[in-house]
PDB file of all heavy atoms in Angstrom:
ATOM      1  N   LYS A  67       3.159 -10.482   1.994  1.00 98.00           N
ATOM      2  CA  LYS A  67       4.390 -10.413   2.784  1.00 98.00           C
ATOM      3  C   LYS A  67       5.360  -9.434   2.176  1.00 98.00           C
ATOM      4  O   LYS A  67       6.056  -8.688   2.881  1.00 98.00           O
ATOM      5  CB  LYS A  67       5.079 -11.798   2.868  1.00 98.00           C
ATOM      6  CG  LYS A  67       4.317 -12.786   3.760  1.00 98.00           C
ATOM      7  CD  LYS A  67       5.005 -14.132   3.817  1.00 98.00           C
ATOM      8  CE  LYS A  67       4.228 -15.102   4.692  1.00 98.00           C
ATOM      9  NZ  LYS A  67       4.842 -16.413   4.778  1.00 98.00           N
ATOM     10  N   ASP A  68       5.408  -9.420   0.830  1.00 98.00           N
ATOM     11  CA  ASP A  68       6.248  -8.416   0.126  1.00 98.00           C
ATOM     12  C   ASP A  68       5.718  -7.012   0.416  1.00 98.00           C
ATOM     13  O   ASP A  68       6.510  -6.077   0.558  1.00 98.00           O
ATOM     14  CB  ASP A  68       6.287  -8.688  -1.335  1.00 98.00           C
ATOM     15  CG  ASP A  68       7.025  -9.974  -1.731  1.00 98.00           C
ATOM     16  OD1 ASP A  68       7.777 -10.505  -0.852  1.00 98.00           O
ATOM     17  OD2 ASP A  68       6.847 -10.477  -2.847  1.00 98.00           O
ATOM     18  N   LEU A  69       4.406  -6.865   0.429  1.00 98.00           N
ATOM     19  CA  LEU A  69       3.821  -5.575   0.726  1.00 98.00           C
ATOM     20  C   LEU A  69       4.224  -5.076   2.116  1.00 98.00           C
ATOM     21  O   LEU A  69       4.620  -3.915   2.288  1.00 98.00           O
ATOM     22  CB  LEU A  69       2.320  -5.617   0.584  1.00 98.00           C
ATOM     23  CG  LEU A  69       1.573  -4.320   0.654  1.00 98.00           C
ATOM     24  CD1 LEU A  69       1.815  -3.488  -0.577  1.00 98.00           C
ATOM     25  CD2 LEU A  69       0.064  -4.610   0.837  1.00 98.00           C
ATOM     26  N   ASP A  70       4.177  -5.988   3.096  1.00 98.00           N
ATOM     27  CA  ASP A  70       4.599  -5.643   4.452  1.00 98.00           C
ATOM     28  C   ASP A  70       6.084  -5.232   4.501  1.00 98.00           C
ATOM     29  O   ASP A  70       6.457  -4.277   5.125  1.00 98.00           O
ATOM     30  CB  ASP A  70       4.375  -6.814   5.396  1.00 98.00           C
ATOM     31  CG  ASP A  70       2.898  -7.166   5.576  1.00 98.00           C
ATOM     32  OD1 ASP A  70       2.057  -6.271   5.413  1.00 98.00           O
ATOM     33  OD2 ASP A  70       2.616  -8.312   5.932  1.00 98.00           O
ATOM     34  N   THR A  71       6.884  -5.989   3.752  1.00 98.00           N
ATOM     35  CA  THR A  71       8.319  -5.675   3.682  1.00 98.00           C
ATOM     36  C   THR A  71       8.527  -4.284   3.053  1.00 98.00           C
ATOM     37  O   THR A  71       9.365  -3.505   3.517  1.00 98.00           O
ATOM     38  CB  THR A  71       9.069  -6.732   2.836  1.00 98.00           C
ATOM     39  OG1 THR A  71       8.883  -8.009   3.507  1.00 98.00           O
ATOM     40  CG2 THR A  71      10.531  -6.427   2.756  1.00 98.00           C
ATOM     41  N   GLN A  72       7.805  -3.952   2.018  1.00 98.00           N
ATOM     42  CA  GLN A  72       7.915  -2.683   1.339  1.00 98.00           C
ATOM     43  C   GLN A  72       7.544  -1.555   2.310  1.00 98.00           C
ATOM     44  O   GLN A  72       8.197  -0.508   2.374  1.00 98.00           O
ATOM     45  CB  GLN A  72       7.044  -2.582   0.112  1.00 98.00           C
ATOM     46  CG  GLN A  72       7.545  -3.420  -1.017  1.00 98.00           C
ATOM     47  CD  GLN A  72       6.588  -3.374  -2.207  1.00 98.00           C
ATOM     48  OE1 GLN A  72       5.688  -2.577  -2.285  1.00 98.00           O
ATOM     49  NE2 GLN A  72       6.777  -4.323  -3.146  1.00 98.00           N
ATOM     50  N   ALA A  73       6.513  -1.758   3.145  1.00 98.00           N
ATOM     51  CA  ALA A  73       6.109  -0.765   4.133  1.00 98.00           C
ATOM     52  C   ALA A  73       7.209  -0.591   5.172  1.00 98.00           C
ATOM     53  O   ALA A  73       7.502   0.554   5.576  1.00 98.00           O
ATOM     54  CB  ALA A  73       4.796  -1.182   4.774  1.00 98.00           C
ATOM     55  N   ASP A  74       7.791  -1.675   5.626  1.00 98.00           N
ATOM     56  CA  ASP A  74       8.891  -1.622   6.611  1.00 98.00           C
ATOM     57  C   ASP A  74      10.098  -0.870   6.036  1.00 98.00           C
ATOM     58  O   ASP A  74      10.708  -0.035   6.710  1.00 98.00           O
ATOM     59  CB  ASP A  74       9.307  -3.004   7.053  1.00 98.00           C
ATOM     60  CG  ASP A  74       8.247  -3.732   7.876  1.00 98.00           C
ATOM     61  OD1 ASP A  74       7.358  -3.041   8.377  1.00 98.00           O
ATOM     62  OD2 ASP A  74       8.335  -4.945   7.979  1.00 98.00           O
ATOM     63  N   GLU A  75      10.407  -1.150   4.768  1.00 98.00           N
ATOM     64  CA  GLU A  75      11.527  -0.491   4.107  1.00 98.00           C
ATOM     65  C   GLU A  75      11.320   1.003   3.955  1.00 98.00           C
ATOM     66  O   GLU A  75      12.218   1.806   4.136  1.00 98.00           O
ATOM     67  CB  GLU A  75      11.833  -1.141   2.760  1.00 98.00           C
ATOM     68  CG  GLU A  75      12.412  -2.511   2.859  1.00 98.00           C
ATOM     69  CD  GLU A  75      12.585  -3.212   1.501  1.00 98.00           C
ATOM     70  OE1 GLU A  75      12.134  -2.633   0.476  1.00 98.00           O
ATOM     71  OE2 GLU A  75      13.177  -4.296   1.483  1.00 98.00           O
ATOM     72  N   LEU A  76      10.077   1.356   3.605  1.00 98.00           N
ATOM     73  CA  LEU A  76       9.755   2.800   3.446  1.00 98.00           C
ATOM     74  C   LEU A  76       9.817   3.466   4.795  1.00 98.00           C
ATOM     75  O   LEU A  76      10.312   4.609   4.914  1.00 98.00           O
ATOM     76  CB  LEU A  76       8.354   2.977   2.813  1.00 98.00           C
ATOM     77  CG  LEU A  76       7.887   4.422   2.675  1.00 98.00           C
ATOM     78  CD1 LEU A  76       8.875   5.247   1.821  1.00 98.00           C
ATOM     79  CD2 LEU A  76       6.479   4.441   2.073  1.00 98.00           C
ATOM     80  N   GLU A  77       9.376   2.784   5.823  1.00 98.00           N
ATOM     81  CA  GLU A  77       9.432   3.391   7.197  1.00 98.00           C
ATOM     82  C   GLU A  77      10.883   3.652   7.563  1.00 98.00           C
ATOM     83  O   GLU A  77      11.182   4.711   8.086  1.00 98.00           O
ATOM     84  CB  GLU A  77       8.771   2.454   8.206  1.00 98.00           C
ATOM     85  CG  GLU A  77       8.744   3.013   9.587  1.00 98.00           C
ATOM     86  CD  GLU A  77       7.998   2.115  10.554  1.00 98.00           C
ATOM     87  OE1 GLU A  77       8.120   0.854  10.481  1.00 98.00           O
ATOM     88  OE2 GLU A  77       7.266   2.676  11.429  1.00 98.00           O
ATOM     89  N   GLN A  78      11.780   2.689   7.304  1.00 97.00           N
ATOM     90  CA  GLN A  78      13.160   2.864   7.656  1.00 97.00           C
ATOM     91  C   GLN A  78      13.794   3.947   6.801  1.00 97.00           C
ATOM     92  O   GLN A  78      14.595   4.784   7.296  1.00 97.00           O
ATOM     93  CB  GLN A  78      13.978   1.546   7.509  1.00 97.00           C
ATOM     94  CG  GLN A  78      15.415   1.647   7.914  1.00 97.00           C
ATOM     95  CD  GLN A  78      15.554   2.107   9.373  1.00 97.00           C
ATOM     96  OE1 GLN A  78      14.974   1.515  10.242  1.00 97.00           O
ATOM     97  NE2 GLN A  78      16.379   3.142   9.611  1.00 97.00           N
ATOM     98  N   ALA A  79      13.420   4.001   5.517  1.00 97.00           N
ATOM     99  CA  ALA A  79      13.930   5.061   4.626  1.00 97.00           C
ATOM    100  C   ALA A  79      13.478   6.455   5.087  1.00 97.00           C
ATOM    101  O   ALA A  79      14.250   7.410   4.995  1.00 97.00           O
ATOM    102  CB  ALA A  79      13.498   4.811   3.203  1.00 97.00           C
ATOM    103  N   GLN A  80      12.260   6.546   5.601  1.00 97.00           N
ATOM    104  CA  GLN A  80      11.757   7.803   6.133  1.00 97.00           C
ATOM    105  C   GLN A  80      12.579   8.214   7.329  1.00 97.00           C
ATOM    106  O   GLN A  80      12.960   9.420   7.499  1.00 97.00           O
ATOM    107  CB  GLN A  80      10.289   7.696   6.488  1.00 97.00           C
ATOM    108  CG  GLN A  80       9.683   8.918   7.143  1.00 97.00           C
ATOM    109  CD  GLN A  80       9.560  10.112   6.181  1.00 97.00           C
ATOM    110  OE1 GLN A  80       9.896  10.061   5.021  1.00 97.00           O
ATOM    111  NE2 GLN A  80       9.145  11.225   6.734  1.00 97.00           N
ATOM    112  N   ILE A  81      12.882   7.284   8.220  1.00 96.00           N
ATOM    113  CA  ILE A  81      13.699   7.598   9.382  1.00 96.00           C
ATOM    114  C   ILE A  81      15.082   8.046   8.961  1.00 96.00           C
ATOM    115  O   ILE A  81      15.630   9.018   9.477  1.00 96.00           O
ATOM    116  CB  ILE A  81      13.790   6.357  10.310  1.00 96.00           C
ATOM    117  CG1 ILE A  81      12.426   6.076  10.964  1.00 96.00           C
ATOM    118  CG2 ILE A  81      14.882   6.558  11.375  1.00 96.00           C
ATOM    119  CD1 ILE A  81      12.288   4.725  11.637  1.00 96.00           C
ATOM    120  N   ASP A  82      15.661   7.381   7.948  1.00 96.00           N
ATOM    121  CA  ASP A  82      16.997   7.710   7.446  1.00 96.00           C
ATOM    122  C   ASP A  82      17.059   9.152   6.908  1.00 96.00           C
ATOM    123  O   ASP A  82      18.094   9.782   6.957  1.00 96.00           O
ATOM    124  CB  ASP A  82      17.444   6.719   6.381  1.00 96.00           C
ATOM    125  CG  ASP A  82      17.702   5.313   6.950  1.00 96.00           C
ATOM    126  OD1 ASP A  82      17.796   5.164   8.196  1.00 96.00           O
ATOM    127  OD2 ASP A  82      17.787   4.355   6.164  1.00 96.00           O
ATOM    128  N   THR A  83      15.935   9.655   6.328  1.00 96.00           N
ATOM    129  CA  THR A  83      15.955  10.955   5.789  1.00 96.00           C
ATOM    130  C   THR A  83      16.126  12.054   6.881  1.00 96.00           C
ATOM    131  O   THR A  83      16.610  13.135   6.615  1.00 96.00           O
ATOM    132  CB  THR A  83      14.675  11.308   5.005  1.00 96.00           C
ATOM    133  OG1 THR A  83      13.573  11.216   5.825  1.00 96.00           O
ATOM    134  CG2 THR A  83      14.522  10.416   3.780  1.00 96.00           C
ATOM    135  N   PHE A  84      15.718  11.722   8.085  1.00 93.00           N
ATOM    136  CA  PHE A  84      15.897  12.740   9.176  1.00 93.00           C
ATOM    137  C   PHE A  84      17.349  12.935   9.510  1.00 93.00           C
ATOM    138  O   PHE A  84      17.713  13.996  10.016  1.00 93.00           O
ATOM    139  CB  PHE A  84      15.144  12.259  10.436  1.00 93.00           C
ATOM    140  CG  PHE A  84      13.653  12.146  10.275  1.00 93.00           C
ATOM    141  CD1 PHE A  84      12.979  11.033  10.696  1.00 93.00           C
ATOM    142  CD2 PHE A  84      12.957  13.211   9.705  1.00 93.00           C
ATOM    143  CE1 PHE A  84      11.598  10.960  10.542  1.00 93.00           C
ATOM    144  CE2 PHE A  84      11.577  13.115   9.532  1.00 93.00           C
ATOM    145  CZ  PHE A  84      10.900  11.993   9.955  1.00 93.00           C
ATOM    146  N   PHE A  85      18.226  11.987   9.263  1.00 88.00           N
ATOM    147  CA  PHE A  85      19.642  12.096   9.586  1.00 88.00           C
ATOM    148  C   PHE A  85      20.499  12.174   8.340  1.00 88.00           C
ATOM    149  O   PHE A  85      21.690  12.322   8.442  1.00 88.00           O
ATOM    150  CB  PHE A  85      20.055  10.878  10.435  1.00 88.00           C
ATOM    151  CG  PHE A  85      19.225  10.676  11.622  1.00 88.00           C
ATOM    152  CD1 PHE A  85      18.332   9.580  11.694  1.00 88.00           C
ATOM    153  CD2 PHE A  85      19.294  11.564  12.711  1.00 88.00           C
ATOM    154  CE1 PHE A  85      17.563   9.427  12.825  1.00 88.00           C
ATOM    155  CE2 PHE A  85      18.498  11.372  13.806  1.00 88.00           C
ATOM    156  CZ  PHE A  85      17.658  10.296  13.917  1.00 88.00           C
ATOM    157  N   GLY A  86      19.891  12.083   7.184  1.00 86.00           N
ATOM    158  CA  GLY A  86      20.662  12.068   5.945  1.00 86.00           C
ATOM    159  C   GLY A  86      20.470  13.298   5.093  1.00 86.00           C
ATOM    160  O   GLY A  86      20.049  14.354   5.599  1.00 86.00           O
ATOM    161  N   GLY A  87      20.700  13.112   3.842  1.00 90.00           N
ATOM    162  CA  GLY A  87      20.571  14.231   2.910  1.00 90.00           C
ATOM    163  C   GLY A  87      19.824  13.834   1.638  1.00 90.00           C
ATOM    164  O   GLY A  87      18.861  13.083   1.696  1.00 90.00           O
ATOM    165  N   GLU A  88      20.352  14.314   0.536  1.00 95.00           N
ATOM    166  CA  GLU A  88      19.696  14.076  -0.760  1.00 95.00           C
ATOM    167  C   GLU A  88      19.629  12.620  -1.115  1.00 95.00           C
ATOM    168  O   GLU A  88      18.608  12.160  -1.664  1.00 95.00           O
ATOM    169  CB  GLU A  88      20.463  14.853  -1.855  1.00 95.00           C
ATOM    170  CG  GLU A  88      20.208  16.340  -1.798  1.00 95.00           C
ATOM    171  CD  GLU A  88      20.910  17.033  -2.940  1.00 95.00           C
ATOM    172  OE1 GLU A  88      21.068  16.454  -4.044  1.00 95.00           O
ATOM    173  OE2 GLU A  88      21.328  18.190  -2.725  1.00 95.00           O
ATOM    174  N   LYS A  89      20.701  11.860  -0.845  1.00 96.00           N
ATOM    175  CA  LYS A  89      20.719  10.427  -1.167  1.00 96.00           C
ATOM    176  C   LYS A  89      19.644   9.669  -0.451  1.00 96.00           C
ATOM    177  O   LYS A  89      18.901   8.861  -1.049  1.00 96.00           O
ATOM    178  CB  LYS A  89      22.082   9.804  -0.841  1.00 96.00           C
ATOM    179  CG  LYS A  89      22.175   8.359  -1.133  1.00 96.00           C
ATOM    180  CD  LYS A  89      23.540   7.802  -0.714  1.00 96.00           C
ATOM    181  CE  LYS A  89      23.560   6.289  -0.882  1.00 96.00           C
ATOM    182  NZ  LYS A  89      24.726   5.675  -0.279  1.00 96.00           N
ATOM    183  N   GLU A  90      19.460   9.940   0.844  1.00 96.00           N
ATOM    184  CA  GLU A  90      18.456   9.272   1.616  1.00 96.00           C
ATOM    185  C   GLU A  90      17.041   9.678   1.167  1.00 96.00           C
ATOM    186  O   GLU A  90      16.160   8.839   1.169  1.00 96.00           O
ATOM    187  CB  GLU A  90      18.671   9.566   3.116  1.00 96.00           C
ATOM    188  CG  GLU A  90      19.821   8.871   3.750  1.00 96.00           C
ATOM    189  CD  GLU A  90      21.185   9.492   3.418  1.00 96.00           C
ATOM    190  OE1 GLU A  90      21.219  10.615   2.792  1.00 96.00           O
ATOM    191  OE2 GLU A  90      22.228   8.844   3.639  1.00 96.00           O
TER     192      GLU A  90
END
Side-chain angles (χ1 to χ4, degrees):
K67 288 181 183 178
D68 292 344
L69 188 70
D70 294 336
T71 300
Q72 289 176 15
D74 292 342
E75 288 175 354
L76 179 57
E77 182 176 40
Q78 184 57 52
Q80 175 69 2
I81 292 167
D82 292 345
T83 61
F84 295 132
F85 305 109
E88 287 183 31
K89 178 183 174 190
E90 287 75 11

